[in-house]
Amino acid sequence: MAGEDGFKKLPSELQLQLATTAHVKYIQSLDARKDDYDYWLTEHLRLNGLYWGLTSLHLLGHPQALPRAETIDFVLSCQHDSGGFGAAPGHDAHMLSTVSAVQILALVDAFDELETRGKKGGKAQVGKYIAALQNRQTGTFAGDEWGEEDTRFLYGAFNALSLLGLLDLVDVDKAVDHVVACANFDGGYGVSPGAESHAGQIMTCVATLAIAGRKDLIDADRLGRWLSERQIAGGGLNGRPEKREDVCYSWWVLSSLAMVGKTHWIDKDQLAGFILSCQDPEKGGISDRPGDMVDVWHTVFGLAGLSLLEFPGLQPVDEVYCLPKSTIERVLGK
């Protein structure tokens, strides 16, 4: 039975509260740990981490918890003359870092800063960098100049280019053909044609088709069945059959189900209970499983999963972009 807030009440043993204040303080503390060895070990994820943390804060309803001006300064300090962005100042440009940079600038409404303070060419230069990574024969994308190809990079390219209004710079039809070639008999998608279905890769493929306006190419029932089978005892979701549950799949699986209209095919209350059981209610943050160490990666995807479940206290998340719906409405007019 639904409560007054519209969310079905969890079983008594799962009556957990979202530790909003603790999560905000945890994210704010991440860049203050420069004396920690782990801080420097993760420098290659700095720009991605800023996106994860900032998105978490926006979903928690605290978009001002990180200083906007310093955020923009850091993002622009990571840009190369090519238009691409590295993970941190001095790091090589990469698709994943570039996508995070675009998402961050979208979050803080700073595309105008990219035009006036970014490398020469502004948004167009960023789009040119991304477009140059497309393999025009196969339609897929590389992560950087060294040529590794993956559907993550294809989705990232579509995500960033559509936010910039520059999707016409790439061969959309070829990219769609590549995604279709990655489909499997079980309804899922792999990292490349013939590769096994995996929840993370499924999200990248389904979201790419959504951005391209080609969800008609998805076998929604077959895919929804495979995805709903990812829920195991205890309510958590796994990424492949016979694997353990992990909070991050609360996003990868649930967002894909949302895109094909099948979120009602899983037990939402049990999943919400699992995610909440993975948070540190005192120090903040969310881990992969109950009792494990928290990190910002699992925090953002746990919160995004709860948002898709319409859990009270969270801003609505867009299932295609993993950004607040308010950001997507502002940027894309949706």
Side-chain angles (χ1 to χ4, degrees), residues 166-195:
L166 299 173
L167 197 57
D168 59 342
L169 293 180
V170 298
D171 192 328
V172 173
D173 291 338
K174 276 282 190 180
V176 167
D177 288 344
H178 178 77
V179 170
V180 171
C182 293
N184 290 318
F185 71 94
D186 55 17
Y189 298 82
V191 66
S192 59

Side-chain angles (χ1 to χ4, degrees), residues 183-223:
N184 290 318
F185 71 94
D186 55 17
Y189 298 82
V191 66
S192 59
E196 70 171 315
S197 296
H198 184 281
Q201 303 299 337
I202 286 171
M203 187 274 167
T204 66
C205 290
V206 173
T208 296
L209 294 175
I211 293 172
R214 295 307 312 271
K215 287 200 296 182
D216 59 295
L217 298 172
I218 302 168
D219 188 333
D221 286 346
R222 186 173 294 182
L223 174 60

Side-chain angles (χ1 to χ4, degrees), residues 30-310:
L30 292 175
D31 200 49
R33 300 179 179 182
K34 295 181 180 179
D35 291 333
D36 292 353
Y37 184 54
D38 286 348
Y39 180 90
W40 299 106
L41 286 179
T42 57
E43 188 179 41
H44 64 291
L45 296 172
R46 193 72 69 233
L47 202 51
N48 302 127
L50 179 56
Y51 156 69
W52 300 330
L54 194 61
T55 299
S56 297
L57 292 172
H58 278 249
L59 294 180
L60 288 165
H62 290 265
Q64 307 302 323
L66 291 181
R68 180 177 183 272
E70 291 180 24
T71 296
I72 297 170
D73 288 345
F74 177 75
V75 172
L76 295 180
S77 74
C78 298
Q79 191 178 24
H80 290 249
D81 290 337
S82 66
F85 293 78
H91 285 240
D92 290 345
H94 193 279
M95 174 73 80
L96 297 182
S97 302
T98 302
V99 175
S100 288
V102 172
Q103 291 173 310
I104 293 166
L105 294 174
L107 269 170
V108 299
D109 194 11
F111 283 156
D112 58 336
E113 298 268 1
L114 179 62
E115 290 295 305
T116 59
R117 296 173 51 205
K119 297 298 182 180
K120 186 177 180 180
K123 291 194 297 184
Q125 189 70 2
V126 179
K128 182 179 178 182
Y129 168 79
I130 295 173
L133 292 172
Q134 185 176 33
N135 182 327
R136 295 288 174 158
Q137 292 185 321
T138 65
T140 190
F141 285 79
D144 56 24
E145 61 183 304
W146 307 112
E148 178 191 5
E149 296 181 349
D150 189 319
T151 50
R152 291 175 303 159
F153 309 144
L154 194 161
Y155 162 65
F158 272 50
N159 184 314
L161 288 174
S162 59
L163 290 174
L164 294 169
L166 299 173
L167 197 57
D168 59 342
L169 293 180
V170 298
D171 192 328
V172 173
D173 291 338
K174 276 282 190 180
V176 167
D177 288 344
H178 178 77
V179 170
V180 171
C182 293
N184 290 318
F185 71 94
D186 55 17
Y189 298 82
V191 66
S192 59
E196 70 171 315
S197 296
H198 184 281
Q201 303 299 337
I202 286 171
M203 187 274 167
T204 66
C205 290
V206 173
T208 296
L209 294 175
I211 293 172
R214 295 307 312 271
K215 287 200 296 182
D216 59 295
L217 298 172
I218 302 168
D219 188 333
D221 286 346
R222 186 173 294 182
L223 174 60
R225 187 177 303 111
W226 190 93
L227 290 168
S228 64
E229 290 173 353
R230 304 281 59 78
Q231 189 164 38
I232 65 176
L237 303 172
N238 62 22
R240 290 178 292 164
E242 306 302 323
K243 296 295 183 179
R244 295 184 67 187
E245 72 278 27
D246 188 316
V247 157
C248 70
Y249 292 115
S250 305
W251 169 254
W252 305 116
V253 172
L254 199 57
S255 61
S256 298
L257 285 170
M259 284 185 268
V260 297
K262 306 293 185 185
T263 58
H264 59 290
W265 284 15
I266 64 166
D267 189 320
K268 297 181 181 181
D269 292 343
Q270 287 291 320
L271 177 57
F274 170 73
I275 299 171
L276 291 170
S277 71
C278 294
Q279 64 180 348
D280 185 330
E282 297 180 359
K283 297 182 179 180
I286 299 175
S287 61
D288 57 349
R289 299 179 191 90
D292 286 353
M293 184 177 293
V294 304
D295 59 74
V296 68
W297 159 274
H298 287 95
T299 299
V300 66
F301 293 127
L303 293 173
L306 286 173
S307 177
L308 285 176
L309 294 170
E310 300 181 346

